[in-house]
Amino acid sequence: MRFILLALVALVLPAAAEDLSAKAWLESMSRALNQEQFKMSVIHLQADHIRPMVYLHGKVAGEEVAFLEHLNGPIKNAVRIGHTVTFIDHDQPAFSVNADRIQGLWPTVFAGNISDIESGYQFVLGGRSRIAGRPGQLIRFIPNDTHRYPLQVWLDMETFLPLRYELLTEEKELLEQIMVVELIVLEEPAPLLVEAVKQDWPPVISQLDRHDGQNWTFSWLPEGFRIVARDHHRLMGSQEPVEYVALTDGVANISVYVGRAGSIPMPDELLTRNGLGLVTEKVGNAEVVAVGRVPMATLSRIIRSLALDNPS
């Protein structure tokens, strides 16, 4: 009986959190991800892919430092010191880029300005559940349109740190899940983070010198989506260079590739096993591929809105 009572007490919110709105919970999560010092052991699930990871975050001499390690397979790590992220892979030299977050764990907006995604989502309080031995509060993200998928996140009631994240289709099918299996709050930065600051990391690589492709524009994007990067890629082993444009609303990420027609042999429409939608269409003399965890109708409409700003 005593054990049951303790378990019930653990699901009672702290007094300071009883009256918080869903948005206030999320704003507290953002502050926690930026300010708290912690270690998370995490499982990332996509279809039949299970990726265990460890994420460390802290402050060294007043500067944010973070480390993400993939525990299975070849070495694949990332270190962030301030606004610089260095990627360490087993088969290529380490390189650094300017970035405020390490990609590949929580959506970037979780540690950013929650108001930035209000045009795309409503925030709704859900129930409470126990995750990794800690009581968590559910917050649902309900899309304001049909151009993105719903998601939900459980926040630790004590620290406001995220404990579980799920991306769902409109039919409530699970596309992606990130679950904390152990959360340790630290009083001091982890020794690994302290050592990371002392290392000489590669200098930030300069952005590619671009002379073409910059005049591709979109006449329509879903509310809240914006262009965050432009680059050159080689798609799926092709030797033909393609123009790359990255879009995001802070939660959903979309990659758009533009190449010479006939140089990108791809299916017209595909939903991959990990929930990644892929659509390809011709725009003038170009073949355009859009990839992202959003409805395929959204990808198609984005492609059809693509045009040359000042075509020659």
Side-chain angles (χ1 to χ4, degrees), residues 202-239:
V204 172
I205 58 175
S206 59
Q207 189 173 9
L208 292 177
D209 187 14
R210 298 161 44 83
H211 300 287
D212 61 347
Q214 296 187 51
N215 51 351
W216 284 105
T217 61
F218 298 92
S219 61
W220 177 86
L221 288 174
E223 186 71 28
F225 274 84
R226 64 192 186 281
I227 297 173
V228 291
R230 294 179 183 266
D231 203 341
H232 288 295
H233 276 40
R234 296 189 184 276
L235 186 63
M236 295 188 70
S238 170
Q239 295 305 306

Side-chain angles (χ1 to χ4, degrees), residues 39-302:
K39 175 183 177 181
M40 286 178 174
S41 297
V42 178
I43 297 294
H44 185 194
L45 176 65
Q46 290 177 331
D48 56 352
H49 298 288
I50 300 175
R51 301 180 181 90
M53 300 182 287
V54 170
Y55 181 70
L56 295 168
H57 180 271
K59 289 194 174 182
V60 180
E63 188 169 43
E64 273 192 81
V65 185
F67 175 76
L68 179 65
E69 179 182 15
H70 291 72
L71 297 180
N72 283 358
I75 293 175
K76 185 179 180 182
N77 302 333
V79 178
R80 178 169 75 91
I81 301 175
H83 302 287
T84 300
V85 175
T86 301
F87 297 95
I88 307 163
D89 288 348
H90 73 290
D91 59 352
Q92 63 182 9
F95 65 95
S96 302
V97 299
N98 285 322
D100 292 329
R101 303 287 158 219
I102 297 176
Q103 300 285 344
L105 192 58
W106 311 111
T108 54
V109 77
F110 278 17
N113 186 351
I114 300 299
S115 296
D116 287 346
I117 61 170
E118 281 190 291
S119 61
Y121 301 89
Q122 299 177 46
F123 313 128
V124 178
L125 281 171
R128 302 168 192 170
S129 183
R130 189 165 171 266
I131 301 167
R134 306 175 71 95
Q137 171 66 52
L138 171 62
I139 312 292
R140 291 189 173 94
F141 291 57
I142 309 299
N144 291 329
D145 51 42
T146 60
H147 306 310
R148 66 205 90 205
Y149 288 136
L151 61 135
Q152 49 196 25
V153 60
W154 285 260
L155 306 182
D156 180 37
M157 291 182 180
E158 179 184 351
T159 66
F160 297 100
L161 290 167
L163 295 174
R164 178 175 170 181
Y165 158 80
E166 292 180 346
L167 180 66
L168 309 167
T169 68
E170 300 99 323
E171 294 77 25
K172 307 302 181 185
E173 295 177 349
L174 182 66
L175 292 176
E176 181 180 25
Q177 182 185 79
I178 298 172
M179 183 179 294
V180 173
V181 295
E182 183 181 43
L183 172 62
I184 301 175
V185 179
L186 306 172
E187 295 184 1
E188 298 179 351
L192 188 150
L193 301 182
V194 176
E195 289 301 316
V197 174
K198 300 176 183 178
Q199 300 300 313
D200 291 325
W201 300 106
V204 172
I205 58 175
S206 59
Q207 189 173 9
L208 292 177
D209 187 14
R210 298 161 44 83
H211 300 287
D212 61 347
Q214 296 187 51
N215 51 351
W216 284 105
T217 61
F218 298 92
S219 61
W220 177 86
L221 288 174
E223 186 71 28
F225 274 84
R226 64 192 186 281
I227 297 173
V228 291
R230 294 179 183 266
D231 203 341
H232 288 295
H233 276 40
R234 296 189 184 276
L235 186 63
M236 295 188 70
S238 170
Q239 295 305 306
E240 293 288 338
V242 296
E243 181 77 10
Y244 165 71
V245 183
L247 310 169
T248 188
D249 67 350
V251 175
N253 299 307
I254 298 173
S255 298
V256 179
Y257 302 89
V258 185
R260 183 166 51 85
S263 65
I264 313 175
M266 299 289 285
D268 292 335
E269 192 172 281
L270 175 69
L271 181 64
T272 63
R273 293 183 66 186
N274 64 0
L276 204 62
L278 183 152
V279 174
T280 179
E281 295 185 19
K282 286 185 179 180
V283 178
N285 294 324
E287 188 104 13
V288 183
V289 177
V291 182
R293 287 189 181 86
V294 296
M296 283 185 281
T298 302
L299 298 176
S300 293
R301 187 172 175 184
I302 287 173

